[in-house]
């Protein structure tokens, strides 16, 4: 069942959609900060450029990634982990911009998760055809804290499954400014992104950016 609540943020229609207990889509919730978010993103990427990481199985991810915050999610032939150091630069990841943190905290609170202080932000960049297969976010220490996921740029179809890989997944179209929050009973639900269709966004260009906030440590 989905429930829609309408809200007005400076004239922007902000629809709130429930995907089940603990999982909410805050449609267009990040639009008011779009300019500040994209400017902060440019600063992060100047310090830690996007790269195609290698999975433990030896494949290059179709999505290019980077991180900001005190911990960054990394994958290589040895596995997945959170690391305070960017393996490419040998330096700490860029600090989490204030506008990122404020958005993540506000969205979490709006979805019912107060006092959220993420320490990691994984940034995914998708070009046409890039995808993320069904997975659980489970490299974090504390599953009491939700995941907050912000979509910018061209649209995607988000697959949101159950607690078992084989459970049927619903499809949710995510467009620029949409924020998905999942925690509590939904924290370990499988999710993924279908191959991105070619498109263009006036501010972001020909790709999709996703910011995934976590409390990792
Ligand atoms: C992920 O869960 O790794 C990506 C989610 C997204 O890009 O929306
Ligand atoms: Fe994920």
């Amino acid at each position: 069942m989905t429930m829609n609540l309408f809200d007005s943020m400076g004239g922007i229609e902000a629809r709130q959609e429930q995907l089940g207990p603990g999982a909410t889509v805050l449609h267009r919730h990040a639009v008011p900060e779009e300019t500040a978010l994209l400017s902060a993103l440019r600063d992060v990427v100047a310090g830690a450029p996007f790269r195609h990481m290698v999975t433990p199985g030896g494949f290059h991810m179709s999505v290019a990634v980077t991180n900001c915050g005190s911990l960054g999610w990394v994958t290589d032939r040895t596995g997945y982990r959170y690391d305070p150091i960017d393996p490419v630069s040998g330096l700490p990841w860029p600090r989490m911009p204030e506008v990122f943190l404020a958005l993540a905290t506000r969205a979490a609170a709006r979805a019912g998760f107060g006092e959220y202080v993420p320490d990691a932000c994984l940034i995914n960049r998708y070009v046409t055809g890039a995808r993320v297969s069904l997975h659980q976010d489970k490299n974090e220490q504390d599953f009491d804290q939700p995941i907050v996921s912000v979509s910018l740029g061209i649209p995607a179809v988000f697959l949101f499954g159950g607690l078992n890989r084989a459970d049927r997944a619903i499809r949710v179209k995510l467009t620029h400014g949409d924020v998905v929050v999942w925690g509590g009973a939904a924290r370990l639900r499988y999710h993924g992104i279908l191959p991105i269709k070619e498109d263009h966004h006036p501010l972001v260009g020909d790709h999709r950016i996703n910011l995934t906030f976590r409390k990792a440590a």
Side-chain angles (χ1 to χ4, degrees):
M1 187 196 71
T2 65
M3 180 178 67
N4 292 325
L5 294 173
F6 290 86
D7 192 357
S8 178
M9 291 186 306
I12 293 158
E13 180 196 276
R15 186 166 56 95
Q16 194 162 318
E17 181 183 3
Q18 208 61 42
L19 301 179
T24 306
V25 187
L26 304 167
H27 289 279
R28 298 178 62 74
H29 191 75
V31 170
E33 285 107 325
E34 59 186 359
T35 310
L37 289 168
L38 292 169
S39 153
L41 173 66
R42 274 189 287 277
D43 293 343
V44 168
V45 170
F50 282 110
R51 75 290 304 267
H52 290 275
M53 290 185 182
V54 177
T55 65
F59 296 100
H60 278 89
M61 293 175 64
S62 62
V63 172
V65 305
T66 186
N67 291 276
C68 62
S70 53
L71 289 169
W73 181 87
V74 296
T75 173
D76 59 22
R77 290 306 301 248
T78 67
Y80 307 119
R81 66 179 182 281
Y82 279 98
D83 200 314
I85 300 297
D86 174 352
V88 171
S89 67
L91 298 170
W93 297 102
R95 293 174 60 89
M96 196 178 306
E98 203 50 53
V99 62
F100 281 26
L101 192 59
L103 169 62
T105 302
R106 185 184 79 215
R110 180 64 70 97
F113 300 96
E115 301 183 17
Y116 179 55
V117 185
D119 52 12
C121 176
L122 169 66
I123 306 169
N124 295 310
R125 187 185 63 192
Y126 297 76
V127 295
T128 304
R131 62 190 285 270
V132 170
S133 55
L134 274 184
H135 66 279
Q136 293 169 297
D137 286 4
K138 59 175 188 190
N139 297 124
E140 300 74 29
Q141 301 291 325
D142 185 358
F143 294 151
D144 289 340
Q145 297 290 327
I147 303 291
V148 174
S149 169
V150 178
S151 294
L152 296 168
I154 68 175
V157 178
F158 180 60
L159 294 175
F160 199 55
L163 297 175
N164 298 300
R165 186 182 290 279
D167 292 344
R168 195 181 64 89
I170 56 169
R171 293 174 177 217
V172 182
K173 185 173 181 185
L174 296 180
T175 60
H176 180 76
D178 289 352
V179 182
V180 189
V181 180
W182 66 96
R187 178 61 179 74
L188 291 174
R189 283 178 68 170
Y190 276 85
H191 58 279
I193 293 287
L194 288 182
I196 298 285
K197 292 213 170 77
E198 186 174 355
D199 208 333
H200 180 80
H201 185 275
L203 282 182
V204 181
D206 297 341
H207 51 263
R208 170 176 187 262
I209 299 289
N210 169 255
L211 313 174
T212 303
F213 296 91
R214 289 91 178 252
K215 175 80 173 77

